[in-house]
Amino acid sequence: MAAGRRADPAESKLEELAAATADRLPQMLDDVTRLLSHDWPDYADFIVTERDEVLVSATMFLHRLMKMAKWDIAELPGVSDQPPEQLTEQPLFEEIGRAQWQQGRDLTSLLSAYQIGARVAWHHVAEVALEVGVPSDVFASLAEAVFIFIDQLSSASARGYVLEQSEAAAARERLRDELGNMLLSDRSDSGAIRAAAARIDWPLPREASVILVEPDNPVGAALLARLDQSCLHVRRQRLVCAIVPDPAGPGRRERLSTALRGAGAVVGHAVTLENLPASMRVAEAAAQLRRTNVLADDPVFVDEHLDSIIVHRDPRLLDAFRARCLAPLDELGPVTRQRLCETLASWLRHLGDRRAVAEELHIHPQTVRYRLSQLRELFGDSLDDPDNRRRLTLALAWGLPEQN
């Protein structure tokens, strides 16, 4: 059977075809260069400037093409079966695909150039095949080999392109995470931050804010992920976080309010970058107040609630303050105490306007007068003391305290 293969006329024709086609390789390269010069001049210039190297590669690919055609011939009846070799050029073409991504070029242009090369190669191979009298079955094998070969090269380059793209994206995300964590760390110096920002082309803003979302809120996390690429996403254990540059820019607040509605988000106050860690701590305090329903906006903008955050930073201190301010009510029953607290809070808000208090609480003005008489009996002249009124306003401004 081996002797039969050595005498196979089809393989002899292939060898004759290979030799004749090799003579045409310079002309093939000229044709490919001409076709590429209009839409892909960079590729055409490469063929011209690196012609010797390209010619060597073209010769190697020609031999590979003839081998692939022989594999098809080996599958004909009466010829021993020989499995085709793996494409040894795959790593090279994967690297070509990677380079295409690195240079910021589109993958389709590279694959189109491959197709042009395939058409030119087949045109010349077909002409020579007819001249040397290649049998029809070998001719068919050649045609199939050309397009299988180009498909393999295209797949290898596409794989390299996608791998480089995904690896570059992953590396960029790591660098963005690194910068975000540096900005929120008290231990990062400005030089390191500038260098980290330069690596990802992130212009350092004059001011920035943090946005926090609860980690168990998938809607919030999804809305945060849709913020534009100027925002840095930071992974933290307790909260999903992003850093927003120049939050006080024209229309920025309105866009954030719309984009984050329904996310249960907290937007920190705008600060310079060196003060971002401190702003983060204030935003975390606001997030805690949102969990306990002290703050209910959606989203919560910290700079609108700094008074609430200051008052509630130490719950035990606030409880002690309230207990002292409202001590005259301690001996009352819970229902009476609740009503008098409501009346006192409304009276303080409306600067003593009894009619406004009656309208707000939906009670008769005479009832307001009666309750205020009770309050004066309990608090005495301290109700007329401006300092004490300020303390009482603070004690009652964020809801009525629970009685111990």
Side-chain angles (χ1 to χ4, degrees):
M1 185 175 296
R5 287 205 64 192
R6 281 195 297 271
D8 192 295
E11 290 196 22
S12 298
K13 288 294 184 182
L14 275 178
E15 292 171 2
E16 185 179 351
L17 173 64
T21 307
D23 294 336
R24 283 200 179 205
L25 285 178
Q27 184 182 348
M28 284 189 199
L29 294 184
D30 291 341
D31 290 347
V32 172
T33 302
R34 176 175 49 79
L35 292 172
L36 292 176
S37 60
H38 184 266
D39 293 322
W40 299 284
D42 290 348
Y43 298 147
D45 289 344
F46 177 79
I47 294 175
V48 172
T49 57
E50 305 293 335
R51 187 175 179 85
D52 291 341
E53 181 181 342
V54 173
L55 193 57
V56 171
S57 298
T59 303
M60 178 183 66
F61 294 152
L62 175 62
H63 290 303
R64 169 71 62 180
L65 182 65
M66 297 306 161
K67 283 186 180 181
M68 292 177 70
K70 287 181 182 180
W71 297 332
D72 285 343
I73 295 169
E75 294 175 1
L76 297 175
V79 182
S80 63
D81 190 33
Q82 178 71 26
E85 302 173 20
Q86 293 297 316
L87 182 64
T88 57
E89 293 82 7
Q90 177 176 312
L92 170 62
F93 279 83
E94 282 191 6
E95 286 304 314
I96 291 174
R98 286 179 179 274
Q100 190 77 357
W101 165 259
Q102 293 167 357
Q103 294 164 9
R105 296 177 175 177
D106 193 272
L107 177 62
T108 56
S109 63
L110 178 63
L111 300 185
S112 297
Y114 286 169
Q115 293 298 322
I116 287 175
R119 288 200 303 270
V120 170
W122 175 241
H123 171 75
H124 284 277
V125 169
E127 270 193 0
V128 176
L130 292 175
E131 290 173 2
V132 302
V134 170
S136 58
D137 53 356
V138 178
F139 192 87
S141 295
L142 279 169
E144 186 175 5
V146 168
F147 295 106
I148 288 176
F149 191 34
I150 293 302
D151 183 63
Q152 289 176 336
L153 298 185
S154 298
S155 296
S157 289
R159 182 163 48 253
Y161 187 94
V162 171
L163 286 173
E164 185 66 23
Q165 185 181 46
S166 61
E167 290 170 10
R172 184 175 177 81
E173 284 306 308
R174 286 194 298 272
L175 292 173
R176 287 174 66 89
D177 286 347
E178 177 183 331
L179 174 59
N181 282 299
M182 290 174 67
L183 288 170
L184 297 180
S185 171
D186 288 317
R187 297 182 297 276
S188 298
D189 63 77
S190 58
I193 287 174
R194 284 195 299 271
R199 285 195 292 270
I200 60 169
D201 297 323
W202 194 70
L204 289 175
R206 187 175 62 85
E207 291 185 323
S209 288
V210 294
I211 302 177
L212 308 181
V213 173
E214 299 291 341
D216 58 353
N217 181 350
V219 174
L223 290 176
L224 204 64
R226 293 176 191 164
L227 295 176
D228 61 64
Q229 283 297 300
S230 69
C231 301
L232 295 176
H233 295 270
V234 185
R235 295 174 177 83
R236 296 176 78 83
Q237 290 182 345
R238 292 167 294 159
L239 291 165
V240 179
C241 176
I243 297 173
V244 181
D246 297 319
R252 185 72 156 172
R253 192 183 191 93
E254 291 74 15
R255 289 195 296 274
L256 283 174
S257 181
T258 301
L260 296 172
R261 190 163 294 124
V266 172
V267 182
H269 60 300
V271 294
T272 56
L273 294 183
E274 59 268 25
N275 291 319
L276 207 53
S279 178
M280 176 69 174
R281 289 190 286 271
V282 176
E284 288 177 324
Q288 176 60 36
L289 295 182
R290 195 182 187 286
R291 292 186 204 107
T292 56
N293 299 315
V294 173
L295 301 180
D297 292 356
D298 185 21
V300 170
F301 285 92
V302 165
D303 57 7
E304 296 176 358
H305 300 282
L306 291 175
D307 53 348
S308 299
I309 296 167
I310 292 169
V311 169
H312 290 85
R313 283 297 291 272
D314 190 332
R316 290 174 297 182
L317 185 60
L318 177 59
D319 288 343
F321 173 75
R322 280 175 158 175
R324 177 168 181 151
C325 290
L326 302 175
L329 305 178
D330 285 351
E331 301 303 319
L332 302 177
V335 174
T336 303
R337 185 177 190 275
Q338 177 82 2
R339 287 174 179 170
L340 290 183
C341 280
E342 287 178 350
T343 304
L344 179 57
S346 181
W347 181 74
L348 291 167
R349 277 194 299 274
H350 295 292
L351 305 177
D353 187 336
R354 295 182 181 182
R355 185 174 298 279
V357 173
E359 291 177 357
E360 180 183 11
L361 300 182
H362 305 292
I363 57 178
H364 196 277
Q366 189 65 31
T367 304
V368 175
R369 186 176 296 109
Y370 172 70
R371 292 183 184 176
L372 287 175
S373 296
Q374 287 182 289
L375 289 167
R376 286 203 171 273
E377 289 179 9
L378 294 165
F379 284 92
D381 293 340
S382 68
L383 281 184
D384 298 320
D385 179 12
D387 288 339
N388 195 51
R389 285 191 183 189
R390 185 167 56 250
R391 286 189 287 268
L392 288 170
T393 299
L394 191 61
L396 295 168
W398 287 272
L400 302 179
E402 296 181 3
Q403 188 171 17
N404 295 329

